């Protein structure tokens, strides 16, 4: 409809790229550049985990993706160890200083 004013462009049903995560809404976030690859790997891993019941097949990723996932798992393991140590030190400090038990976060 060339030449007819107001009849072209605009939003059309079914147009555009299909969403990657069909079952849930998404949110745009800014992340530090050095964490972007880890965040992408985390999202891919979480997507595989959530959808495992729908498609319970074991698939091999390419070598680069497998390496990224291993790095992510190692990073998450280190972060969990750090948080456990931090919580342990907080509890010990609270016991030593007789702090109110409600001041300690409930991460147990």
């Amino acid at each position: 409809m060339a030449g007819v004013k107001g009849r072209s462009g605009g939003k059309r049903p079914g147009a555009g790229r299909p969403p990657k995560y069909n079952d849930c809404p998404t949110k745009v976030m800014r992340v530090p550049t050095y964490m972007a690859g880890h965040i992408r790997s985390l999202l891919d891993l979480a997507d595989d985990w959530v959808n495992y019941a729908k498609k319970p097949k074991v698939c091999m990723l390419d070598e680069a993706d497998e390496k990224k996932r291993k790095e992510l798992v190692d990073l998450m393991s280190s972060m969990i160890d750090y948080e456990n140590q931090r919580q342990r030190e907080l509890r010990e400090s609270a016991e030593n200083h007789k702090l109110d038990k409600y001041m300690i976060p409930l991460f147990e």
Side-chain angles (χ1 to χ4, degrees):
M1 297 200 163
V4 179
K5 189 172 183 175
R7 295 277 184 163
S8 62
K11 187 175 181 179
R12 297 174 311 283
R17 177 187 290 191
K20 181 173 181 179
Y21 304 102
N22 293 326
D23 298 337
C24 63
T26 60
K27 179 162 182 81
V28 177
M29 292 179 60
R30 288 186 178 268
V31 297
T33 306
Y34 72 94
M35 290 295 292
H38 295 304
I39 300 296
R40 171 131 353 243
S41 293
L42 177 64
L43 292 173
D44 290 341
L45 181 65
D47 187 49
D48 284 352
W49 178 64
V50 167
N51 293 315
Y52 181 75
K54 297 176 189 170
K55 51 177 183 175
K57 60 181 182 250
V58 176
C59 64
M60 294 298 294
L61 302 174
D62 64 7
E63 188 175 338
D65 287 338
E66 290 291 348
K67 183 178 177 186
K68 287 178 187 174
R69 281 196 177 188
K70 172 139 179 36
E71 289 173 359
L72 173 68
V73 169
D74 291 343
L75 176 67
M76 290 172 61
S77 177
S78 297
M79 289 170 42
I80 290 169
D81 291 343
Y82 163 76
E83 185 60 18
N84 286 334
Q85 178 65 27
R86 191 184 74 79
Q87 290 293 321
R88 192 170 25 258
E89 290 173 1
L90 179 64
R91 282 191 300 276
E92 290 170 1
S93 177
E95 290 169 4
N96 292 340
H97 292 79
K98 306 288 189 254
L99 295 177
D100 184 2
K101 66 180 179 178
Y102 296 108
M103 293 176 69
I104 302 173
L106 303 174
F107 280 101
E108 300 191 44

